């Protein structure tokens, strides 16, 4: 009995682990940067609400041709070796301007102060091509410097790494090779340490000794979300701008008149909305699965329908090609027949002219006939010869080729056909019809008249729908009475209820499917005539 319970407990634990592992694996897609397709590292929140790694964003802006000021957020030291004294010497020697000098700059119109944007004369608005929504997002003049880090997303990534053991153990960043496994992390130093290195870089009696150690991590982030403009912790939320703001942001002119609420109120309201939405989704998992099955079935039907559409288009184009090929053969045959007829006529004319040359058979024969002295015999032989010589003489005097060599009458004008072929496209559904209110009326019958807008594809038939609006509708979708396959552009609805208000609409249909409905038109039928009864 105990072994059976243990086996059941073990099975339930394994099932839970499998579900957790599957859930974590599915969540991994939400933790991948759309640029590098790796887990987020110091993600920034774009104005379009998508996230991108800070390094990836800087690289993308560099490829867009923006300067370093647009894609280089304020850097932070990444290790104890990166201190102000080891960075650029100019930063160490830079001093603030004196008070009178600063006052003169502000009065002369230079510099930045509340109500004035930096570089207002020629501002450079930085745009970022978001790889998630495929849109150009405006980052303003400050570029990436004006974006918040998504610390929550960083924490989720870190928890995911720890749960699936991505990357193995975290090593000390300050050890000499080979490094030991890190046991502590320091947010202020932004580095991981083993025990010995932590003591070495945080000596007793110094300011670093006050640093609070944390668990080792690969991602260091500030304790709180800092305002990118003033480097102060945010404390309020501007509903108008939909942006977190600090105390200094509240007093700026850019937020004057805006609805600003404490972060706690925004936190509670948004958490409540998110919880309700998530509860609704989790409570309708069966509906989600049903819709997934419907979408998968739609995908299959789309693939089949798309293949059928390809085959239909290919068949129609092949049909056009067959018609063109048949027409081509017919036209070429007509040209060939015309050519043969002309060549025959020209050949006969050529032969006739060759017979007129000295030494030809006709001239020699005529010369021999002229030698005949017997008058009756001469008349008999020369009569037929004289007609041939007369025709040849006339042809010689009025020479003209028997036919033209041009085939201009066989030229084709395919401009209209080429235009039709060029404009050959898929059939569109009819546009929404327009009700002709001048010809539409309601009496003892309802006569509805409409027309299609100009340049609308033709409609094979129409569907007219109507219903009464002065009676309570039953629960559920609105019930329309329908008249299908109406030919023409008018319809007659007989025996409407007197003294009622009807709403009507119509839509067209062709081979491409049904078009949009027309605008609703309301018609009021007259009341029934009163019947006066007379007493006997």
């Amino acid at each position: 009995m105990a072994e059976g319970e243990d086996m059941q407990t073990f099975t339930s634990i394994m099932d839970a682990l499998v579900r957790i592992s599957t859930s974590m694996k599915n969540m991994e897609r939400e933790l991948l940067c759309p640029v590098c397709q790796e887990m987020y590292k110091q993600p920034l929140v774009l104005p379009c609400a998508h996230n991108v790694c800070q390094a990836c964003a800087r690289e993308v802006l560099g490829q867009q041709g923006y300067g370093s000021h647009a894609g280089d957020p304020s850097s932070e030291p990444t290790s104890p070796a990166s201190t102000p004294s080891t960075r650029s010497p100019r930063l160490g020697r830079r001093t603030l301007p004196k008070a009178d000098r600063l006052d003169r700059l502000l009065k002369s119109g230079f510099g930045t102060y509340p109500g004035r944007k930096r570089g207002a004369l020629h501002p450079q608005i930085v745009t970022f091509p978001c790889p998630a929504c495929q849109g150009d997002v405006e980052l303003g003049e400050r570029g990436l410097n004006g974006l918040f880090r998504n610390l929550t997303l960083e924490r989720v990534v870190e928890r995911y790494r720890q749960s699936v053991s991505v990357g193995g153990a975290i090593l000390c960043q300050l050890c000499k090779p080979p490094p030991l496994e890190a046991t502590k992390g320091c947010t202020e130093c932004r580095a991981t340490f083993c025990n010995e290195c932590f003591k070495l870089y945080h000596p007793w009696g110094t300011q670093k000794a006050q640093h609070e150690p944390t668990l080792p991590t690969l991602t260091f982030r500030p304790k709180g979300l800092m305002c990118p403009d003033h480097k102060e912790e945010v404390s309020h939320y501007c509903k108008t701008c939909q942006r977190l703001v600090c105390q200094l942001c509240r007093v700026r002119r850019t937020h004057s008149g805006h609805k600003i609420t404490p972060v706690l109120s925004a936190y509670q309201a948004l958490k409540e909305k998110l919880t309700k939405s998530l509860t609704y989704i989790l409570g309708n998992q069966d509906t989600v699965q049903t819709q997934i099955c419907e979408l998968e079935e739609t995908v299959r039907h789309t693939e089949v329908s798309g293949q059928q559409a390809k085959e239909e288009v290919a068949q129609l184009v092949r049909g056009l090609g067959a018609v063109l090929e048949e027409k081509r053969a017919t036209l070429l045959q007509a040209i060939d027949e015309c050519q043969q007829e002309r060549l025959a006529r020209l050949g006969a004319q050529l032969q006739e002219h060759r017979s007129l040359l000295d030494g030809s058979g006709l001239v020699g024969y005529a010369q021999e006939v002229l030698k005949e002295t017997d008058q009756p015999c001469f008349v008999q032989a020369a009569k037929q010869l004289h007609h041939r010589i007369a025709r040849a003489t006339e042809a010689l005097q009025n020479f003209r080729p028997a036919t033209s060599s041009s085939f201009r009458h066989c030229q084709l004008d395919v401009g209209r056909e080429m235009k039709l072929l060029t404009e050959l496209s898929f059939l569109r559904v009819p546009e929404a019809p327009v009700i002709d209110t001048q010809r539409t009326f309601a009496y003892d019958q309802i006569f509805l008249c409409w027309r299609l807008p100009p340049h609308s594809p033709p409609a094979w038939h129409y569907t007219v729908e109507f219903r009464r609006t002065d009676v309570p509708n039953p629960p559920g979708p609105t019930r329309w009475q329908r008249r299908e396959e109406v030919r023409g552009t008018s319809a007659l609805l007989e025996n409407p209820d007197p003294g009622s208000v009807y709403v009507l609409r119509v839509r067209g249909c062709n081979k491409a499917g049904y078009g949009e409905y027309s605008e609703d038109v309301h018609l009021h039928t007259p009341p029934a005539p009163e019947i006066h009864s007379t007493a006997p």
Side-chain angles (χ1 to χ4, degrees):
M1 186 66 178
E3 292 181 358
E5 293 179 354
D6 293 342
M7 181 59 68
Q8 185 177 1
T9 303
F10 176 76
T11 304
S12 62
I13 292 175
M14 292 302 296
D15 292 341
L17 290 176
V18 169
R19 287 196 301 270
I20 293 174
S21 177
T22 303
S23 176
M24 295 300 291
K25 278 295 181 183
N26 292 336
M27 190 181 67
E28 184 176 345
R29 292 176 297 181
E30 303 292 332
L31 308 180
L32 297 180
C33 172
V35 178
C36 62
Q37 293 300 317
E38 296 181 0
M39 289 196 180
Y40 286 106
K41 297 177 182 178
Q42 297 184 4
L44 300 176
V45 183
L46 298 174
C48 59
H50 293 114
N51 301 282
V52 66
C53 293
Q54 187 180 101
C56 295
R58 188 162 54 245
E59 182 179 355
V60 170
L61 285 183
Q63 295 174 355
Q64 296 294 320
Y66 289 105
S68 59
H69 71 282
D72 189 13
S74 55
S75 59
E76 298 179 7
T78 57
S79 69
S82 179
T83 61
S85 60
T86 60
R87 283 179 257 156
S88 175
R90 294 186 178 182
L91 294 178
R93 296 196 301 267
R94 182 177 295 173
T95 58
L96 294 176
K98 296 181 180 180
D100 57 345
R101 170 66 174 167
L102 182 61
D103 184 62
R104 288 198 303 271
L105 287 174
L106 293 178
K107 290 182 178 180
S108 60
F110 294 95
T112 304
Y113 54 88
R116 176 182 175 85
K117 295 183 179 180
R118 178 176 298 146
L121 293 178
H122 300 284
Q124 182 186 20
I125 305 300
V126 180
T127 58
F128 184 86
C130 177
C133 61
Q134 304 296 324
D136 292 334
V137 183
E138 290 189 0
L139 303 183
E141 301 176 40
R142 303 186 68 241
L144 300 181
N145 294 329
L147 300 181
F148 283 100
R149 281 179 60 178
N150 195 336
L151 300 182
T152 302
L153 180 56
E154 291 187 31
R155 296 187 184 96
V156 174
V157 171
E158 184 174 351
R159 287 198 296 268
Y160 176 80
R161 288 180 180 276
Q162 294 175 356
S163 63
V164 298
S165 300
V166 175
I170 300 176
L171 302 179
C172 176
Q173 295 178 339
L174 282 304
C175 278
K176 294 181 180 180
L180 300 177
E181 184 176 350
T183 58
K184 293 181 177 63
C186 181
T187 304
E188 286 80 0
C189 298
R190 302 181 59 79
T192 55
F193 303 86
C194 63
N195 288 331
E196 295 300 326
C197 290
F198 187 82
K199 296 176 182 179
L200 178 63
Y201 284 93
H202 297 78
W204 184 84
T206 63
Q207 185 178 2
K208 287 189 175 183
Q210 306 299 323
H211 292 181
E212 182 179 355
T214 62
L215 293 175
T217 179
L218 297 176
T219 304
F220 292 95
R221 50 186 181 272
K223 294 181 179 179
L225 193 60
M226 308 301 292
C227 173
D229 295 332
H230 304 105
K231 305 306 177 185
E232 290 191 6
E233 190 170 354
V234 296
S235 57
H236 290 76
Y237 180 76
C238 179
K239 293 183 178 180
T240 306
C241 300
Q242 296 186 354
R243 180 181 174 89
L244 292 165
V245 295
C246 64
Q247 290 289 353
L248 291 178
C249 292
R250 292 184 60 194
V251 301
R252 295 184 64 182
R253 295 181 184 177
T254 53
H255 294 282
S256 61
H258 290 187
K259 295 181 179 180
I260 298 179
T261 181
V263 170
L264 178 60
S265 301
Y267 163 79
Q268 293 174 344
L270 190 56
K271 187 172 184 179
E272 182 180 357
K273 291 180 181 179
L274 184 58
T275 302
K276 288 183 178 179
S277 300
L278 188 58
T279 302
Y280 176 81
I281 292 176
L282 294 177
N284 290 272
Q285 291 297 291
D286 294 339
T287 304
V288 174
Q289 189 61 42
T290 301
Q291 293 176 357
I292 289 175
C293 295
E294 183 179 350
L295 288 174
E296 291 176 348
E297 187 68 20
T298 304
V299 169
R300 288 192 290 269
H301 287 170
T302 302
E303 293 175 350
V304 174
S305 301
Q307 188 62 32
Q308 292 177 352
K310 289 181 181 179
E311 294 176 357
E312 290 178 0
V313 169
Q315 184 177 0
L316 289 174
V317 173
R318 285 195 297 268
L320 289 176
V323 172
L324 288 175
E325 183 64 25
E326 182 180 355
K327 191 66 176 178
R328 182 187 71 88
T330 303
L331 294 175
L332 292 180
Q333 182 179 1
I335 294 175
D336 186 65
E337 293 175 355
C338 179
Q339 183 184 28
Q340 295 300 326
E341 186 268 337
R342 288 187 177 188
L343 290 176
R345 293 174 62 185
L346 290 173
Q349 188 180 20
L350 181 62
Q351 185 66 26
E352 185 176 348
H353 274 68
R354 285 174 177 172
S355 66
L356 299 180
L357 294 176
D358 187 13
S360 64
L362 179 62
V363 173
Y365 176 67
Q367 291 175 347
E368 292 298 326
V369 169
L370 288 174
K371 294 178 182 179
E372 179 65 43
T373 57
D374 189 345
Q375 295 180 356
C377 292
F378 176 81
V379 171
Q380 183 182 15
K383 185 177 181 180
Q384 183 180 6
L385 180 63
H386 176 263
H387 289 293
R388 293 180 61 189
I389 294 296
R391 287 198 308 269
T393 303
E394 184 180 1
L396 181 63
Q397 294 174 350
N398 304 308
F399 173 72
R400 185 179 180 182
T403 183
S404 173
S405 62
S406 174
F407 279 81
R408 292 185 179 276
H409 68 288
C410 294
Q411 298 296 319
L412 292 177
D413 182 10
V414 295
R416 183 171 59 89
E417 289 76 9
M418 289 295 294
K419 183 179 180 181
L420 291 175
L421 289 175
T422 303
E423 296 177 351
L424 187 65
S425 61
F426 296 111
L427 181 65
R428 295 183 295 116
V429 298
E431 297 182 12
V434 179
I435 303 297
D436 189 350
T437 57
Q438 301 295 328
R439 301 171 57 191
T440 297
F441 58 86
Y443 195 61
D444 54 346
Q445 296 175 333
I446 295 179
F447 182 74
L448 182 65
C449 185
W450 63 86
R451 65 178 182 275
L452 284 177
H455 311 295
S456 170
W460 294 357
H461 56 81
Y462 297 89
T463 297
V464 177
E465 294 185 349
F466 59 94
R467 63 181 176 87
R468 288 184 58 180
T469 60
D470 54 345
V471 294
N473 293 323
T478 304
R479 297 290 183 179
W480 289 84
Q481 298 185 52
R482 184 178 293 109
R483 180 169 296 181
E484 301 282 359
E485 298 189 3
V486 176
R487 306 293 175 174
T489 57
S490 62
L492 185 64
L493 307 179
E494 298 179 349
N495 302 322
D497 296 334
S500 303
V501 178
Y502 283 85
V503 57
L504 302 96
R505 63 184 185 181
V506 61
R507 64 175 177 174
C509 178
N510 56 19
K511 189 176 181 180
Y514 284 97
E516 296 291 335
Y517 282 104
S518 65
E519 293 185 1
D520 295 347
V521 58
H522 293 76
L523 298 177
H524 191 284
T525 58
E530 296 182 1
I531 300 177
H532 300 280
S533 60
T534 58

